[in-house]
Amino acid sequence: TRFTKRIIKIPQVPTTADTPRQNNGNDCGVFVTFFAHYLAHGVHPTFTQEDIPHLRRRMVYAICEKRLP
């Protein structure tokens, strides 16, 4: 077939007491996006639920400017 299935192994990231945790049912996309962003840059995620409005604005700006943060 034109498309070949490839299995990509993604390492699991252990959680700790200071791992960011979502406190509602609305912000999962922002949490996942920024958790991956931090890990991709080799930085331990340190944001909190209180940071989500700011991170959401960063996402909107990056999308409008067609660039990644």
Side-chain angles (χ1 to χ4, degrees), residues 3-65:
F3 299 102
T4 305
K5 286 185 179 180
R6 285 193 256 171
I7 298 174
I8 300 172
K9 292 204 175 223
I10 300 172
Q12 291 186 345
V13 178
T15 59
T16 61
D18 63 344
T19 298
R21 294 201 183 348
Q22 178 183 343
N23 297 332
N24 62 35
N26 304 317
D27 299 323
C28 54
V30 180
F31 265 83
V32 169
T33 300
F34 275 94
F35 198 88
H37 176 78
Y38 275 65
L39 294 179
H41 286 89
V43 179
H44 180 74
T46 57
F47 58 90
T48 66
Q49 183 73 48
E50 290 75 31
D51 298 318
I52 295 301
H54 169 73
L55 296 177
R56 189 182 301 278
R57 284 191 296 276
R58 278 184 58 190
M59 285 179 73
V60 170
Y61 179 78
I63 291 167
C64 291
E65 293 295 316

